[in-house]
Amino acid sequence: SWSGVVSGGSQVPEALVNKIEEALGVDFTIVYGQTECSPVLTNTFPNDSAEDKGTTIGPPIGHVELKIVDPESLDTVAIGAQGELWARGFFTMIEYFENPEATAETLLPDGWLRTGDLATMDERGYCRIVGRLKDMVIRGGENLFPVEIEEVLMKHPTVAEVAVVGLPDERWGEVLGAFLRLDEQVDAPTVSALRDYIRTQLSPQKTPAFWYAVDSFPLTGSGKIQKFALRTSWEAGEHEASALS
């Protein structure tokens, strides 16, 4: 019989956490890690709230050090501020095989490993992933984090799955594009309705400029959405016919 469910690889929305626990009658737990960290750094606990399970990756496990660092100054940031998540402990890799340049960029001499993930940490030590450094969108000089926007859109009743991607723009440098896999059992939303929904919860500059419906997403071998592939196909004009109106 089932005694619990553990998930990793990407954040699970709070609504889905509730659905799993109610349907299966078991506790749900989130774990976070990387191959370079053998492989778990944090986890939530079975008795954590659905909000913590759906929006955080929990605190560090035993014998693990974590800190949030400004990726430019390399200074540790204040509690609640965004920065790159760094980790140190017994679990870190020795090196990338025959790739000293990549090793030097990722693993520092004092043992800290740069995860490449953007995160925050609260006063309890619970961390929240807000995106990848390489996924961050710079719109008119302002840093925008797709995960924050995706979390809001995932709560919309018509959205089954979403990816927000930075798309090149002559005026702003980059703008946001939202690619949505819609719930087939409900009517497709209008762009106007989606924009209004976003702006009730986020500031205007975090509203996507482009909206597309997709039947499926390009995925990695571990099931993560390949955002670079969406951007490439957009630049090739492959999504023009699927633009929402």
Side-chain angles (χ1 to χ4, degrees):
S1 63
W2 291 66
S3 59
V5 174
V6 178
S7 177
S10 63
Q11 199 72 53
V12 177
E14 181 181 346
L16 184 54
V17 171
N18 281 321
K19 186 175 182 179
I20 291 171
E21 292 189 330
E22 291 171 3
L24 299 179
V26 297
D27 291 319
F28 184 91
T29 302
I30 287 285
V31 298
Y32 163 83
Q34 295 184 325
T35 302
E36 292 87 344
C37 298
S38 302
V40 175
L41 296 172
T42 72
N43 63 257
T44 59
F45 295 97
N47 60 349
D48 279 337
S49 68
E51 180 181 5
D52 275 339
K53 295 175 184 178
T55 61
T56 82
I57 55 172
I61 64 173
H63 308 291
V64 169
E65 292 180 85
L66 296 180
K67 64 179 179 178
I68 311 296
V69 175
D70 184 308
E72 295 184 0
S73 69
L74 303 187
D75 293 328
T76 302
V77 302
I79 291 294
Q82 293 180 353
E84 184 183 10
L85 180 64
W86 287 19
R88 183 167 67 178
F90 66 93
F91 50 82
T92 54
M93 67 176 186
I94 297 173
E95 63 182 359
Y96 288 115
F97 182 64
E98 295 185 351
N99 194 338
E101 293 81 10
T103 300
E105 291 176 0
T106 304
L107 190 60
L108 305 184
D110 58 359
W112 285 104
L113 184 140
R114 303 185 64 166
T115 68
D117 284 326
L118 292 164
T120 63
M121 182 186 294
D122 67 20
E123 65 281 352
R124 304 171 299 164
Y126 278 59
C127 297
R128 178 176 179 269
I129 300 297
V130 299
R132 290 283 293 170
L133 270 174
K134 64 182 180 181
D135 289 340
M136 183 176 69
V137 178
I138 304 176
R139 177 188 181 274
E142 182 172 5
N143 297 339
L144 304 177
F145 303 97
V147 168
E148 179 184 19
I149 302 156
E150 291 165 352
E151 287 178 350
V152 171
L153 286 172
M154 275 300 298
K155 295 178 182 178
H156 193 278
T158 67
V159 176
E161 197 171 10
V162 59
V164 174
V165 179
L167 302 174
D169 182 79
E170 290 186 2
R171 179 182 180 187
W172 296 103
E174 286 185 297
V175 293
L176 298 168
F179 296 81
L180 311 172
R181 184 172 66 81
L182 300 172
D183 186 337
E184 297 178 353
Q185 299 181 14
V186 296
D187 293 334
T190 64
V191 168
S192 177
L194 290 168
R195 284 175 177 162
D196 289 345
Y197 178 77
I198 281 282
R199 292 190 179 189
T200 62
Q201 302 179 63
L202 298 174
S203 51
Q205 71 272 23
K206 297 178 181 179
T207 305
F210 298 98
W211 302 81
Y212 301 97
V214 298
D215 294 326
S216 61
F217 288 101
L219 303 176
T220 66
S222 60
K224 295 182 180 180
I225 295 174
Q226 293 180 316
K227 292 188 174 182
F228 72 89
L230 286 173
R231 179 175 174 135
T232 299
S233 59
W234 180 86
E235 290 176 330
E238 296 178 14
H239 294 280
E240 292 180 3
S242 63
L244 293 172
S245 59

